[in-house]
Amino acid sequence: MGEAQVSLKHLFRVFTKPEHKDSKLAQIEQHLSDNILDFLSQHVVTKKTSLEEIEQDFSDSRVPESPEFVSSHAESLLNKLVAHSVNTYSPTFIGHMTSALPYFHLPLAKLLVGLNQNLVKIETSKAFTPLERQVLGMMHNLIYDRSEDYYDEYLHSARHALGAFCSGGTVANITALWVARNKVLGPKDGFSGVAKAGLASAYRAYDINNMGVMCSKRGHYSLSKAVDALGLGREQLISLPCPEQTLRPEEALAAGKHYQEEGNKLLAIVGIGGTTETGHVDPLDELADVAQELGCWFHVDAAWGGATLFSNQYRHRLKGIDRADSVTIDAHKQMYVPMGAGMALFKNPEDANAVRHHAQYILREGSKDLGATTLEGSRNGMAMMVYASLHIFGRRGYELLIDQSIEKAKAFADMIERHPDFELVTSPTLSLLTYRVCPASVQTALKNAEGTARHKLNQKVDRLVVNVQKQQREAGKSFVSRTRLEAPDYPDGSITVFRVVLANPLTTHKDLAAILAEQHLIATGTKVWRALTLSERSLTV
């Protein structure tokens, strides 16, 4: 690589003058603008390159001494980074919640970077601040459906916040539970509140031993981070079994009463609006009743499934979400916005004041600085991307995208059920489903086997699923993820399953059929398949 000049003149050019139109950087920009899918198919090259090999390209801990030409560095990024990245645009990449983005985000991202706004305070964001407040208001309206007068009063009020924009679901969940903690352990006679006095003083003032958060075992791992970060302790995350994939209200009520009878306080029940592993939705309306009876906060983590509210046909699957005290939604999931766009919405616009902070140079009393009620300080104007998407798609556009994803998931579930050597494990509530490859004869044997024999047979099927998933990933034509689940048909233990997320609008039924065919071809060629069928014969003899 050639070295660039170390001079202020050269550095000023980097700040102010674009690369020549024939430069590598300009070529990349043009190719991306013309056809991002084509660019990725050419540059994200499927190679059997191990992570350890890639790490060698990023192993020098020294800061480069001299500048490098921009185009030279762009070439280097193509070879070292882009070539080994994941092509999330691919219609056969159906294993995670990241998918293709609409093309208009590319020029908007350039505008976002060029403006370089900091949403912590008005002085570094100005128009972005009311825009972000409007986006939060739109999402609040989607969930809570308040009157026009309500939003006229609270949307731009310096004393209130309808929500907090943040980098994703983890920070949104922490923010919601932070607000809940500060409200539940708020100031009272002789006590200044947990925000000032700390948890130890709060527990003494409220005469409690511990404070906990309840969810099902399908709850996102960010909830464990939240109880850790808020000082409650990971042991106070009450994670209840859910063989049917959802939190049972009667079990939540019994567990909550037992916890509080032992001298503890239940801070919150967290209902899941689209679990990460299976896409299931907890019975939110019933859980709202449980939270009310236990006298605790009700939070809904709808990071994945919240966008279902755009659909008139399927929004009923989130029935009761409007009763939540707070809701998490990620726009970078089913709202097709680039990474880094999460939101915590609050039913009561007063609630965010429980975490309000002030400083002399910013966040002054009475200002509209968004940093006063958000966990993060400096952050970019990602709300602009959500704002643009809401206008460019509209509710009806999002409805089409949501509906076709759910219908596609149903169609794939039907393909799986019709194939003799596959077994559907969880049907799609939204656009996620799980299944496994399992020879038809082994499925029959499993129904007749009991106890240890069935457990051992399931262990062999687990190995087959892992083997197929790894080989399919390494082949690079397509990708599904895998997880382990409790399943009603196999109550003696968890099983390993393929996990599929159908959110990419570019994925076709033909793609799905090809993925299933590839998995079957891989499976039947493995030693595990042969060993499985032999095991099954021994069980039936």
Side-chain angles (χ1 to χ4, degrees), residues 509-540:
H509 288 209
K510 186 179 177 181
D511 291 323
L512 298 176
I515 288 168
L516 212 58
E518 184 187 17
Q519 288 179 330
H520 191 253
L521 184 64
I522 293 170
T524 54
T526 62
K527 293 179 181 178
V528 187
W529 179 280
R530 292 190 289 275
L532 252 177
T533 50
L534 284 172
S535 299
E536 169 270 321
R537 285 178 201 140
S538 69
L539 283 171
T540 54

Side-chain angles (χ1 to χ4, degrees), residues 121-160:
K121 53 186 179 289
I122 292 278
E123 292 161 352
T124 56
S125 63
K126 202 166 183 182
F128 271 66
T129 294
L131 176 144
E132 182 168 294
R133 282 180 171 271
Q134 184 186 5
V135 169
L136 291 167
M138 288 175 176
M139 299 308 295
H140 188 282
N141 194 5
L142 190 70
I143 298 165
Y144 297 111
D145 192 25
R146 295 300 177 86
S147 68
E148 193 173 326
D149 288 343
Y150 177 92
Y151 294 105
D152 284 344
E153 181 176 358
Y154 294 117
L155 194 67
H156 296 296
S157 169
R159 298 184 302 278
H160 304 89

